[in-house]
Amino acid sequence: MKTSIAPSFNARRILSALRGRGVASRADLARDLQLTPSTVTRLTGDLIARGLIAERDEPIRTGQKGYPARLLELAPMGLCTAGVYLDPDRILTCLADSSGGVIVSEEVRAEDRSFETLMTEAAASIDRLVAQSGLDRARLAGCGVSYPGQYSEDPGRVMRIRQFDGWPEIDVQRDLSPFFGMPVSHMNDAKAACLAELYHGRARDLGNFCHVWLSYGIGGAAVVDQKPYLGRNNQAAEWGGLFPKSRPRPSGQDLLGMLEAAGVAVTRLSDIDASHLQLPVMREWTARAIDQLRWLCLVIARTYAPEAIIFGGTLHPDLLDEIVDELSGEAPLGEDFHFAAPPILRAEQDRMPQLGAAALPVHDVMGARMRADEARRGW
Amino acid sequence: MKTSIAPSFNARRILSALRGRGVASRADLARDLQLTPSTVTRLTGDLIARGLIAERDEPIRTGQKGYPARLLELAPMGLCTAGVYLDPDRILTCLADSSGGVIVSEEVRAEDRSFETLMTEAAASIDRLVAQSGLDRARLAGCGVSYPGQYSEDPGRVMRIRQFDGWPEIDVQRDLSPFFGMPVSHMNDAKAACLAELYHGRARDLGNFCHVWLSYGIGGAAVVDQKPYLGRNNQAAEWGGLFPKSRPRPSGQDLLGMLEAAGVAVTRLSDIDASHLQLPVMREWTARAIDQLRWLCLVIARTYAPEAIIFGGTLHPDLLDEIVDELSGEAPLGEDFHFAAPPILRAEQDRMPQLGAAALPVHDVMGARMRADEARRGW
DNA sequence: GCGATTAAATTGCATTCCAAAACAAAACGG
DNA sequence: CCGTTTTGTTTTGGAATGCAATTTAATCGC
């Protein structure tokens, strides 16, 4: 057994396969991943010793000759992480296990939007959750932080964004880790939410898909080979850019604007409830948004040709359901489709946006992609 | 020294770095690739022994202290490949060296478009080129075959396309290799042309870029981490799908249609010459195509956020130059660009489309990405 | 019931590839 | 001329895997 936290490349491929399949025997894994049984035995032994996966004790009786397969699965509490999501007007936090189960969660209203205040409040909330859950703090692999907004230049190090004016230029490792006392990673809200789908939701078994995140803005992510493709300045898959801000667009902010103009007293997305959904102004917005999003799906299908397009966000769930129902219905996306257009699916893990943030450390530790230090060493 | 043809993962990273930089010392490579000097010495020794790279004999006098760096570069004749491009009405073939130099090339008119005829003619042409060049046939690492058209389902194995009705369903390895007597790979024409830019052209030093290929149709490719991203059914980056066939579109076929309607006697793209370029109908088509392609650039910038967008094709070179000049000029792609839009560049290697095909075996052997069999073995 | 058969999982050994560190070589500069 | 500096080489050891032989536990057929 090794002492390092990070599993090796093929060990992560095994974790990834188990996530996609649910359960699998060592022999299954060897076949699927083109590894030798001996390698699988060794790596899974490692992973079991570390508590990341577990062997089911029930013997399976398939009626088949030969040694009965012993099924492996992810150990739910094998990798616990913390997540912090900063809304414009609230802080959402949670602790999550490796199967995407939210152990505890909390919502905090922030006094002001200064960097210090928000991070101090968020860290205090995580501390409360740790105490409340009785979890050993050392078992937390890391804390993910996500919030809406575009990155500025020099991605990774700096993240000044418009929503939080007055914030200093931030180096994730240097400025955030001290608050939380564990490794911290950061991503834009939509791309973090996409990770929640990749690791715990609708995209568990997909390698290439696109995610559309409808919140105050229109965000998104494209996953290529189980890895978010970021592009220059992390601007890839920022679908919102396809809808000019000078014109009506399918964003939550646009919806709130229409509601306000119609005299409906709603200023936050979280204040929209079932009673609003049948208002004429709401129907009008929805119909228009669906048309625009159908066009977006066409564009995504033609550019990324993903295995699926997944819709999620902080809009009212019924609204998102309706949008997906319409888009996945009969109306064709466009002309000249010689192959079926990608299926359009509803996100499963957007009820708690902080879960996306909590998926970030999972991605760092378990992502089945090759990391820089491994490319260097050649594994 | 190893006997296998394929260099190891880090050896391919070295080849890739040399392609991007032109020349580099071992110490440069160690710094850039985060490898130890010892590893670089060993791997480059291997590559030199195999003739893939060479050491410049001139000592470089930089006026700097210390052991003078000995520069390495790709050996031009280190990896020779064959390329076959099937146009609707001709066969283009070539032999190319590893720096993208075309050693010899040929154009053949085909009797008919049957699979047998075309492949027999193509193979005969390659044989002639080998004889003509005096190259040892065993030095050819492989033959790439490309032609326009969409793939059918089951990518990789099957490739029935519309342009060549009546072709059987084809398994690349089983059905093509016998004709050429060496490893054969296949890709759609636009995606192969993109490889020519990646390995020999404008994108030598880029990791992520998009390619737009203007020929009879509108093809393209998206490269992610120096690897073409194909998507479901190899339909990714098929930009043509964004322009419905029922309406005017910026394709060569559309241009020929307009010319015919205007009474200009031109039926093939290769027949368009400088005298046609100033015709009013030509100006009309160009102006409209540029508008449409500007919109395409906006879509690409918003979806892939590539480091660059590269335009190439079999349209008249002057026409392509004009399109790129216009698109990279002052007119903005769209609203709300908080970062500079990606630069729009002219392809360097589209004069001979068969060079794209010839780049396919190069990609197979030298691509600095991890191959399946390496993930399996873990190196 | 019991050996034959079959498939899964394990173990020891060889191989491949790379890192670390010590070492050697060539130029510059006082 | 000799120390300094930078480049490149050699040696040793470690990490991860594949291969082949072996062990284990179930079913099948007599």
Side-chain angles (χ1 to χ4, degrees):
Chain A
M1 173 178 166
K2 57 193 288 188
T3 49
S4 152
I5 307 164
S8 71
F9 180 62
N10 278 331
R12 294 201 306 282
R13 291 178 69 217
I14 287 176
L15 293 172
S16 180
L18 285 176
R19 214 172 45 235
R21 301 185 40 138
V23 295
S25 71
R26 292 168 179 78
D28 292 333
L29 293 170
R31 276 186 292 268
D32 282 14
L33 303 178
Q34 300 242 68
L35 294 165
T36 56
S38 65
T39 300
V40 175
T41 295
R42 196 165 0 82
L43 292 177
T44 53
D46 240 42
L47 294 170
I48 290 173
R50 290 198 229 176
L52 286 174
I53 65 176
E55 193 168 279
R56 284 206 176 163
D57 30 349
E58 340 132 27
I60 33 155
R61 337 202 118 261
T62 51
Q64 195 190 211
K65 270 191 185 180
Y67 194 115
R70 282 138 66 181
L71 294 182
L72 300 168
E73 63 191 339
L74 292 185
M77 299 295 282
L79 188 75
C80 298
T81 59
V84 173
Y85 174 83
L86 303 180
D87 217 57
D89 35 53
R90 60 194 173 151
I91 302 172
L92 299 173
T93 58
C94 74
L95 302 185
D97 63 34
S98 47
S99 64
V102 172
I103 302 167
V104 276
S105 66
E106 207 179 74
E107 174 169 346
V108 181
R109 296 276 159 183
E111 295 300 308
D112 62 78
R113 290 191 196 174
S114 79
F115 179 74
E116 276 288 316
T117 306
L118 285 174
M119 290 306 154
T120 308
E121 290 269 15
S125 168
I126 296 292
D127 285 340
R128 280 193 299 277
L129 293 180
V130 169
Q132 183 184 333
S133 67
L135 211 67
D136 179 5
R137 198 188 171 83
R139 294 196 52 183
L140 288 177
C143 178
V145 177
S146 77
Y147 44 80
Q150 314 277 353
Y151 294 74
S152 67
E153 308 276 349
D154 193 4
R157 292 180 50 77
V158 179
M159 46 189 206
R160 198 195 308 256
I161 56 170
R162 280 165 296 140
Q163 278 83 343
F164 301 101
D165 278 347
W167 277 26
E169 299 239 320
I170 291 158
D171 178 294
V172 176
Q173 286 316 313
R174 190 196 59 202
D175 299 328
L176 289 184
S177 301
F179 285 96
F180 298 95
M182 60 181 115
V184 174
S185 13
H186 166 265
M187 228 178 224
N188 144 338
D189 64 330
K191 292 185 167 50
C194 164
L195 288 183
E197 294 304 317
L198 176 60
Y199 283 98
H200 313 307
R202 205 69 167 81
R204 262 193 302 264
D205 55 350
L206 297 181
N208 300 294
F209 68 97
C210 289
H211 192 239
V212 182
W213 181 252
L214 299 175
S215 179
Y216 286 90
I218 308 155
V223 171
V224 172
D225 286 342
Q226 297 199 318
K227 173 179 149 191
Y229 165 66
L230 298 175
R232 207 164 68 134
N233 293 123
N234 297 320
Q235 293 294 302
E238 290 291 335
W239 321 119
L242 290 164
F243 301 96
K245 292 211 174 62
S246 63
R247 288 193 287 170
R249 56 206 297 263
S251 74
Q253 200 61 62
D254 181 279
L255 170 58
L256 291 175
M258 271 185 75
L259 290 174
E260 188 188 352
V264 183
V266 164
T267 58
R268 290 188 299 216
L269 285 184
S270 49
D271 294 338
I272 294 178
D273 60 35
S275 74
H276 298 106
L277 293 181
Q278 294 310 320
L279 292 175
V281 59
M282 201 76 181
R283 306 315 313 153
E284 187 189 333
W285 184 86
T286 308
R288 187 248 294 159
I290 286 171
D291 282 344
Q292 293 181 303
L293 293 173
R294 178 172 290 116
W295 175 81
L296 173 61
C297 287
L298 169 69
V299 167
I300 292 175
R302 291 310 199 182
T303 50
Y304 280 100
E307 293 169 43
I309 303 175
I310 298 178
F311 276 80
T314 61
L315 286 186
H316 193 285
D318 292 354
L319 205 46
L320 288 168
D321 287 344
E322 182 182 352
I323 288 171
V324 171
D325 278 354
E326 281 293 326
L327 292 178
S328 56
E330 293 304 307
L333 291 186
E335 298 178 27
D336 309 324
F337 266 98
H338 299 109
F339 303 106
I344 292 161
L345 309 174
R346 180 76 173 83
E348 289 175 355
Q349 298 287 8
D350 58 346
R351 299 299 173 100
M352 291 195 180
Q354 64 268 52
L355 182 59
L360 264 163
V362 177
H363 183 63
D364 290 338
V365 175
M366 304 203 344
R369 70 213 179 285
M370 173 158 286
R371 289 193 309 262
D373 62 320
E374 286 171 330
R376 189 165 65 82
R377 300 194 322 181
W379 293 313
Chain B
M1 176 179 167
K2 58 192 287 187
T3 47
S4 150
I5 306 164
S8 73
F9 180 63
N10 278 332
R12 294 201 305 280
R13 290 179 69 217
I14 287 175
L15 293 172
S16 180
L18 285 175
R19 213 172 46 234
R21 301 183 41 137
V23 294
S25 70
R26 292 169 178 78
D28 292 333
L29 294 170
R31 274 187 295 268
D32 283 15
L33 304 178
Q34 301 244 67
L35 293 166
T36 56
S38 68
T39 300
V40 175
T41 295
R42 188 172 18 77
L43 294 178
T44 52
D46 238 43
L47 294 170
I48 290 173
R50 289 199 231 174
L52 287 174
I53 65 177
E55 193 168 279
R56 284 207 177 161
D57 29 347
E58 342 132 26
I60 33 155
R61 336 200 119 262
T62 52
Q64 195 191 212
K65 268 190 183 180
Y67 195 119
R70 280 140 65 182
L71 293 183
L72 302 168
E73 64 191 339
L74 293 185
M77 298 297 281
L79 188 75
C80 298
T81 59
V84 173
Y85 174 83
L86 303 179
D87 216 60
D89 34 52
R90 58 196 175 149
I91 302 172
L92 299 173
T93 56
C94 74
L95 301 185
D97 62 35
S98 47
S99 64
V102 172
I103 302 167
V104 276
S105 66
E106 206 179 77
E107 175 169 346
V108 181
R109 297 276 158 184
E111 295 302 308
D112 61 78
R113 290 192 196 175
S114 79
F115 179 74
E116 276 288 317
T117 306
L118 285 173
M119 291 305 155
T120 307
E121 291 269 14
S125 169
I126 296 291
D127 285 341
R128 279 193 299 276
L129 293 180
V130 169
Q132 184 184 334
S133 67
L135 210 67
D136 178 5
R137 197 188 172 85
R139 294 196 53 183
L140 289 178
C143 178
V145 177
S146 78
Y147 44 80
Q150 315 278 352
Y151 294 75
S152 67
E153 308 277 347
D154 191 6
R157 291 181 50 77
V158 179
M159 46 190 204
R160 197 198 306 257
I161 57 169
R162 279 167 295 141
Q163 278 82 344
F164 302 101
D165 278 347
W167 278 25
E169 298 239 321
I170 292 157
D171 177 295
V172 176
Q173 286 316 311
R174 190 197 58 203
D175 299 327
L176 289 183
S177 302
F179 286 95
F180 298 96
M182 59 182 117
V184 174
S185 13
H186 166 264
M187 228 178 224
N188 144 337
D189 63 331
K191 291 183 168 52
C194 165
L195 288 183
E197 294 303 317
L198 174 62
Y199 283 97
H200 313 307
R202 204 66 169 82
R204 263 194 300 265
D205 55 351
L206 297 181
N208 301 291
F209 69 97
C210 289
H211 192 239
V212 182
W213 182 252
L214 299 175
S215 179
Y216 286 91
I218 308 156
V223 171
V224 172
D225 287 342
Q226 299 200 316
K227 174 180 149 191
Y229 166 66
L230 298 175
R232 206 164 67 132
N233 292 121
N234 297 323
Q235 292 294 303
E238 290 291 334
W239 321 119
L242 290 164
F243 301 96
K245 293 213 173 62
S246 63
R247 287 192 288 169
R249 54 205 301 261
S251 74
Q253 200 62 61
D254 181 279
L255 169 59
L256 291 176
M258 272 185 75
L259 289 174
E260 186 188 354
V264 183
V266 165
T267 57
R268 291 187 298 216
L269 285 184
S270 50
D271 294 338
I272 295 179
D273 60 36
S275 75
H276 299 105
L277 293 181
Q278 294 310 320
L279 293 175
V281 57
M282 200 76 181
R283 305 318 311 154
E284 187 189 335
W285 183 86
T286 307
R288 188 248 295 161
I290 286 172
D291 282 344
Q292 292 180 305
L293 294 172
R294 179 173 290 116
W295 175 81
L296 173 60
C297 287
L298 169 69
V299 167
I300 292 175
R302 292 308 199 182
T303 50
Y304 279 100
E307 293 169 44
I309 303 174
I310 298 177
F311 277 80
T314 60
L315 287 186
H316 193 285
D318 292 354
L319 205 46
L320 288 168
D321 287 344
E322 182 182 353
I323 288 171
V324 170
D325 279 353
E326 281 294 325
L327 292 178
S328 57
E330 293 302 308
L333 291 186
E335 296 178 30
D336 309 325
F337 266 98
H338 300 109
F339 303 105
I344 291 160
L345 308 175
R346 181 74 174 84
E348 290 175 355
Q349 298 286 8
D350 57 346
R351 299 300 172 98
M352 291 197 180
Q354 63 269 51
L355 181 60
L360 264 163
V362 177
H363 182 65
D364 291 339
V365 174
M366 306 205 340
R369 70 212 180 284
M370 173 157 285
R371 291 191 309 262
D373 62 318
E374 284 171 332
R376 189 166 65 81
R377 303 191 320 177
W379 294 315

